[in-house]
Amino acid sequence: MKQSLNSLTITQAQTGLRSKQFSPVELVQSCLDRIQAFDTKIHAFLTLNADAIKQSQKADVSQSLGGIPIVVKDNFLTHGLRTTASSKVLDNYIPQYDATVVKKLKKAGAIIIGKTNMDAWAHGSSTETSDYGPTLNPWNTDFLPGGSSGGSAAAVAADFCIAGIGSETAGSIRQPAAWCGVTGFKPTYGRVSRYGVIAMASSTDSPGPITKNVTDSAFLSQVIAGNDPFDATTSPIPVPNYYQNSKLKFKKFKIGLPREYMQVMQPAALPLITTAVNQLESLGHVVEEISLIHPKYSIGVYTLVQRSEVSSNLARYDGIRYGYGRSAFSAEAKRRIMLGTYALSSGYYDKYYQKAQKVRSLIIQDFSAAFSQVDLIIDPPSPGPALPVGATVDQAMFGEMQDILVEPSSIAGLTGISVPCGFIGGLPLGFGLIGPQFAESRVFQVAHQYQQVTQWHEQKPTL
Amino acid sequence: MDVSRVAVLANIPISGQEESKFSQQFAETLTTVELINELNTKNVIPTSQVTGFTNHMRPDRIDKSRILTQVEALSNASHTYQGYFVVPAIFE
């Protein structure tokens, strides 16, 4: 059977476009047709770009992403294209400028075909808190896609696009990628600009790619990463050639397997993780058990830091310059803003916010010590596969509890990846690796090696 | 936790029903996060950001590439008056 164009990876699409096997218009149209046929079922999109075909007519395929259809999470500002962050507060907001990530994608020739659903304001790990209704998991629509970048992950899994962009505060790229059976990459904090991204927790927000394989993540990261004068937290360290580095010849790494993290995994998921570990060993890497601070402590640190930063960031939404007023916030945003306000308020600052920041230091020191012993650490993004629709109802701590395994690396600003490693009851499970800050190339290299000896990333859901 | 007081501080309108529901949920959340008290943080310096940058400055120059025109700046406002944003009255 001929592979449909929308199911291609970035590198496959580039080859086809450059050898004139098909045109950018045909490629974009195949994605739009697929969306038209199946997005009523999945609900990955909030807004489609009505000019996508027109833009693809002018695409220059010699550019790095020339003519490649990309979807972008709806918390990235897109000039002239509605951006809501899945909140009714921003229901009618039309950005006057592009986020730096969007600007870089456009400059590289990418065609942004639509804006994807997410938890409102990125507050969640299910995409169920979206004010526009949940996205459903393409593998089984009775289940959630994860979140907050659930729309982008589902869109990539459903072949609605060639690749997607998400953002992660703690797990919001890696966890939905895991639940949807695709590859999700979280760059080091400060590697990719946050300018023009609707802020959640400014000290951990990290934009990154969601793709069909590791080399595509490496390729897309290379396009979006780099120093940005509009974001003072971006690093001046030059961006390496991640794509080339991901395919570097074999090097033997020492990889840590944290015993405390394995204690959190669901029993049904453990054999799949063990198999992935064995595959890394058979590739020649040395895996050794290590001990880290139990991830249960990261829940408290992350909750307090994130809600405090949320209360500060969301204070700006007053409905005067844009959007609707504060009465338009839904329950999850209200709870987060209020708890953060409380944690920062006089008399409670030391007890909550300050204490959380101190434990954050302990976690950073813990990783630093671990990375003096090992090159990478195994970190599955989720204790198990996707949960059913409705799982988040009245669960005020759903996201924080679900993201227990990715909160430590996020609050430490590390880089990490999620790759599919098998199925449980027809739902995909994610395997993960984390590396020290700015060790992106190393993470890509080992994850790519893993995908060369496994086929999990090539499995597709039947819609 | 005085939920109605925090709602005022956060400028978040809440209903009576939300007040009692949130009150219970906040109590649960605070119990969960207080687990961090098990860890000794005596003499530990708090971390507010992870970049390692200190006094990261930019030149004090006007960058026209990021300045919106007046028309653009007002384009999303629900109430404008002669090229200005209209804000709710503060004084009686």
Side-chain angles (χ1 to χ4, degrees):
Chain A
M1 195 179 82
K2 192 170 169 269
Q3 199 178 11
S4 54
L5 299 182
N6 55 297
S7 68
L8 299 176
T9 63
I10 293 177
T11 44
Q12 288 169 339
Q14 282 168 332
T15 307
L17 288 170
R18 287 172 190 166
S19 61
K20 297 197 179 357
Q21 290 170 46
F22 49 84
S23 70
V25 174
E26 288 171 306
L27 182 60
V28 169
Q29 190 61 55
S30 73
C31 293
L32 296 178
D33 290 346
R34 178 85 170 167
I35 293 166
Q36 170 81 25
F38 293 106
D39 200 42
T40 44
K41 197 171 162 188
I42 303 298
H43 190 229
F45 290 91
L46 295 178
T47 307
L48 288 174
N49 177 12
D51 294 329
I53 288 290
K54 207 160 82 187
Q55 288 163 5
S56 67
Q57 286 163 350
K58 293 183 220 149
D60 172 2
V61 300
S62 69
Q63 288 183 283
S64 61
L65 289 172
I68 306 285
I70 302 274
V71 299
V72 176
K73 186 179 181 181
D74 205 34
N75 59 345
F76 287 81
L77 301 195
T78 41
H79 192 183
L81 187 61
R82 186 176 83 130
T83 299
T84 67
S86 284
S87 169
K88 289 279 167 79
V89 172
L90 296 177
D91 188 54
N92 59 356
Y93 177 59
I94 309 291
Q96 302 98 324
Y97 62 99
D98 279 326
T100 296
V101 166
V102 171
K103 208 169 165 181
K104 284 177 178 244
L105 289 172
K106 287 182 178 175
K107 203 176 159 206
I111 311 294
I112 293 167
I113 58 171
K115 303 296 293 294
T116 54
N117 198 15
M118 53 187 280
D119 286 288
W121 306 102
H123 294 173
S125 307
S126 63
T127 314
E128 200 165 36
T129 71
S130 166
D131 287 354
Y132 301 93
T135 296
L136 304 177
N137 193 311
W139 288 93
N140 182 338
T141 52
D142 291 334
F143 287 80
L144 295 165
S148 62
S149 311
S152 285
V156 173
D159 280 331
F160 290 152
C161 56
I162 303 303
I165 294 289
S167 67
E168 169 156 335
T169 308
S172 279
I173 289 172
R174 289 174 285 172
Q175 184 255 19
W179 283 16
C180 290
V182 292
T183 300
F185 180 71
K186 178 209 175 293
T188 303
Y189 177 80
R191 181 73 292 186
V192 179
S193 170
R194 294 175 295 113
Y195 180 72
V197 182
I198 295 170
M200 181 187 175
S202 305
S203 79
T204 70
D205 285 346
S206 308
I210 297 178
T211 59
K212 297 175 188 176
N213 63 28
V214 173
T215 48
D216 274 7
S217 271
F219 193 90
L220 208 43
S221 295
Q222 210 174 307
V223 173
I224 62 174
N227 184 247
D228 178 13
F230 296 171
D231 176 358
T233 61
T234 52
S235 171
I237 298 172
V239 179
N241 190 325
Y242 293 137
Y243 180 69
Q244 290 303 329
N245 289 355
S246 73
K247 304 210 281 190
L248 276 182
K249 265 198 118 176
F250 176 76
K251 182 175 180 280
K252 197 163 116 179
F253 289 111
K254 209 189 222 186
I255 304 173
L257 180 65
R259 129 175 16 111
E260 295 79 4
Y261 287 39
M262 292 305 115
Q263 289 164 5
V264 175
M265 291 302 292
Q266 288 169 13
L270 275 173
L272 276 67
I273 300 300
T274 306
T275 304
V277 169
N278 293 341
Q279 271 155 329
L280 292 182
E281 284 175 326
S282 65
L283 281 162
H285 302 292
V286 177
V287 179
E288 62 180 49
E289 196 175 71
I290 59 167
S291 177
L292 290 172
I293 292 176
H294 199 287
K296 67 185 179 186
Y297 296 109
S298 296
I299 296 174
V301 177
Y302 173 63
T303 303
L304 288 165
V305 168
Q306 171 245 100
R307 286 173 196 215
S308 300
E309 294 184 19
V310 160
S311 81
S312 165
N313 278 327
L314 269 58
R316 76 186 62 154
Y317 296 98
D318 53 17
I320 293 171
R321 291 153 302 151
Y322 47 81
Y324 297 99
R326 298 179 76 75
S327 55
F329 281 119
S330 46
E332 185 65 25
K334 285 183 182 181
R335 280 196 296 256
R336 293 199 183 202
I337 294 168
M338 288 173 65
L339 197 92
T341 303
Y342 178 68
L344 292 173
S345 65
S346 173
Y348 298 98
Y349 178 87
D350 287 341
K351 183 180 175 190
Y352 292 116
Y353 185 62
Q354 186 88 320
K355 175 75 187 180
Q357 287 190 309
K358 286 183 177 176
V359 178
R360 187 178 191 179
S361 302
L362 293 180
I363 292 165
I364 292 168
Q365 288 160 16
D366 192 42
F367 275 124
S368 168
F371 282 125
S372 68
Q373 305 295 319
V374 296
D375 302 304
L376 293 167
I377 293 174
I378 289 163
D379 180 19
S382 179
L387 291 173
V389 172
T392 68
V393 175
D394 278 337
Q395 300 292 314
M397 290 283 283
F398 177 86
E400 288 77 8
M401 304 306 258
Q402 280 305 315
D403 291 330
I404 176 170
L405 290 170
V406 271
E407 280 155 1
S409 52
S410 293
I411 56 188
L414 308 179
T415 178
I417 199 162
S418 172
V419 289
C421 70
F423 290 84
I424 298 174
L427 293 165
L429 187 77
F431 178 72
L433 289 166
I434 51 174
Q437 287 192 318
F438 302 105
E440 277 80 3
S441 292
R442 197 185 303 166
V443 171
F444 285 133
Q445 205 182 333
V446 176
H448 176 54
Q449 288 170 7
Y450 174 76
Q451 288 194 337
Q452 283 180 300
V453 295
T454 55
Q455 279 80 45
W456 302 117
H457 61 288
E458 289 164 6
Q459 310 296 313
K460 304 271 187 187
T462 309
L463 298 187
Chain B
M1 175 172 167
D2 183 347
V3 174
S4 57
R5 161 96 183 125
V6 174
V8 171
L9 282 177
N11 188 19
I12 292 289
I14 56 165
S15 64
Q17 205 185 352
E18 280 177 321
E19 188 179 330
S20 58
K21 195 170 179 178
F22 287 178
S23 170
Q24 188 199 334
Q25 288 173 331
F26 289 150
E28 285 168 25
T29 301
L30 290 173
T31 306
T32 308
V33 302
E34 279 167 10
L35 188 70
I36 61 175
N37 291 326
E38 286 179 8
L39 297 179
N40 181 4
T41 52
K42 203 177 162 205
N43 301 323
V44 175
I45 297 165
T47 296
S48 56
Q49 53 97 355
V50 296
T51 63
F53 296 149
T54 50
N55 299 332
H56 200 66
M57 303 292 186
R58 64 164 174 81
D60 186 17
R61 273 198 310 266
I62 293 171
D63 176 1
K64 289 190 174 159
S65 72
R66 64 191 298 198
I67 296 177
L68 301 179
T69 64
Q70 193 170 6
V71 171
E72 285 169 335
L74 292 167
S75 63
N76 278 290
S78 52
H79 301 292
T80 60
Y81 178 72
Q82 295 185 351
Y84 291 94
F85 295 108
V86 175
V87 302
I90 297 168
F91 300 110
E92 292 292 322

